[in-house]
Amino acid sequence: MSQRTLAPFGRRLVRVSDHRRVGAYDVLACADPDGPAPDPGQFYMLAAAERWGGGADERPFLPRAFSVLRRHPGGTLDFLLEDVGPGTARLCELRAGDGLWLLGPLGRGFAPPRDGRRPILAGGGVGIAPLAIWSDALGPDAVVLLGFRDRPHAEGAALIAGARVATDDGARGHHGLVTDLLAAELVRDPGAEVYACGPPPMLEAVRALCAERGVPAQLALESGMACGFGACFGCVVPTRGGYVRLCVDGPVLDAAELEAVA
Ligand SMILES: Cc1cc2nc3c(=O)[nH]c(=O)nc-3n(C[C@H](O)[C@H](O)[C@H](O)COP(=O)(O)OP(=O)(O)OC[C@H]3O[C@@H](n4cnc5c(N)ncnc54)[C@H](O)[C@@H]3O)c2cc1C
Ligand code: FES
């Protein structure tokens, strides 16, 4: 996997510069003038500067992990959020001018395709986030396949130019799974390298498909993360070589290292 771009020591207080809705998702933007440029696939630990723990109505205490969606010229970072619980709900409330604690960039991101292989990016739901910045880096040669549950979520596809879409309910694009599109694409181009991020069942399907076809794949995984920098061992996942801490050894792992994605 790629070498890490190292975060400066300690978290930084930055300001939200923009908040916008994209279909069922929220995109938060913030200027990070003191941070290094992240590698695609790296992540940040985020926490609201205010109302983040300390009272009965303020349940989140630990920061939450978010892949960087995009880095704009000038250093503004975008993050894609899906409101699934108290931390994401609070972050989705933030508006321009609000304070945001940010730690990162963290972890290891995607490595370039091996042996001139053509990159195929496969994303599911909010897992499209690290694929946007990776597609920016790879350019127009990359094939991008995205899967969503319905039309409001599929609006997220607008974040990656030229993406082909599948929806579970058939509201947009292919009626079915993004792995259907991937399987067809691998028939067309068996000499590809696959980059995937999404829910565990999708990643397991991608892993199994690529293993069956002998196609290399890099998977951006998730696990619960309390610190994000290797101290708590809360994020360990099993690999063929033993347990690894996803926050420092991942979140991108080579699919060949995994028996299965659980
Ligand atoms: C490396 C990494 C990158 C991530 N990137 C993004 C991103 O770009 N956008 C985004 O919206 N989310 C991302 N996540 C997930 C995000 O960190 C969780 O959604 C968030 O922690 C949920 O916090 P919460 O307080 O809102 O909900 P919680 O109360 O913590 O959880 C709500 C629900 O989500 C489940 N959940 C919580 N955390 C995770 C997790 N890490 N993986 C799977 N299920 C979880 C819980 O089991 C529960 O069902 C990422 C996670 C990791 C580890
Ligand atoms: S999140 Fe603490 S060790 Fe990985």
Side-chain angles (χ1 to χ4, degrees):
M1 290 296 103
S2 68
Q3 290 303 303
R4 294 180 198 97
T5 297
L6 294 179
F9 188 72
R11 62 182 187 169
R12 311 185 281 291
L13 182 61
V14 300
R15 294 279 151 200
V16 172
S17 54
D18 188 42
H19 167 267
R20 64 192 165 104
R21 287 285 288 177
V22 178
Y25 302 104
D26 293 74
V27 176
L28 274 190
C30 61
D32 180 27
D34 301 324
D39 295 329
Q42 286 194 300
F43 70 97
Y44 290 73
M45 300 298 285
L46 302 183
E50 289 167 17
R51 294 200 293 109
W52 189 272
D57 298 330
E58 299 187 17
R59 208 190 96 193
F61 280 94
L62 295 166
R64 302 296 195 257
F66 294 92
S67 302
V68 60
L69 169 72
R70 181 155 276 131
R71 183 176 184 272
H72 296 277
T76 295
L77 303 175
D78 284 354
F79 296 96
L80 182 68
L81 275 64
E82 183 165 22
D83 180 356
V84 295
T88 43
R90 175 68 191 113
L91 291 168
C92 288
E93 287 174 355
L94 297 179
R95 295 293 180 270
D98 289 340
L100 179 71
W101 286 112
L102 175 149
L103 175 68
L106 298 166
R108 289 178 195 271
F110 298 114
R114 284 158 259 211
D115 312 323
R117 286 170 175 268
R118 192 163 65 120
I120 302 179
L121 282 50
V126 78
I128 69 172
L131 303 184
I133 183 173
W134 191 218
S135 135
D136 291 347
L138 290 168
D141 282 349
V143 174
V144 184
L145 312 171
L146 305 178
F148 300 94
R149 74 183 77 137
D150 55 22
R151 187 182 296 279
H153 287 85
E155 284 182 40
L159 294 163
I160 308 184
R164 282 160 46 203
V165 172
T167 46
D168 297 351
D169 65 359
R172 190 170 150 194
H174 168 70
H175 186 177
L177 301 174
V178 68
T179 43
D180 302 338
L181 298 179
L182 178 61
E185 198 59 37
L186 290 180
V187 170
R188 263 193 292 277
D189 184 3
E193 177 143 3
V194 173
Y195 298 86
C197 186
M202 179 211 141
L203 289 183
E204 172 53 17
V206 170
R207 188 205 62 75
L209 185 66
C210 291
E212 190 187 298
R213 309 273 173 100
V215 172
Q218 300 180 35
L219 309 180
L221 302 183
E222 278 192 19
S223 69
M225 290 188 182
C227 70
F229 48 81
C232 73
F233 284 72
C235 63
V236 292
V237 295
T239 69
R240 292 182 196 276
Y243 282 97
V244 300
R245 287 167 297 170
L246 205 62
C247 66
V248 288
D249 299 313
V252 177
L253 296 181
D254 198 306
E257 293 177 35
L258 301 166
E259 201 77 59
V261 179

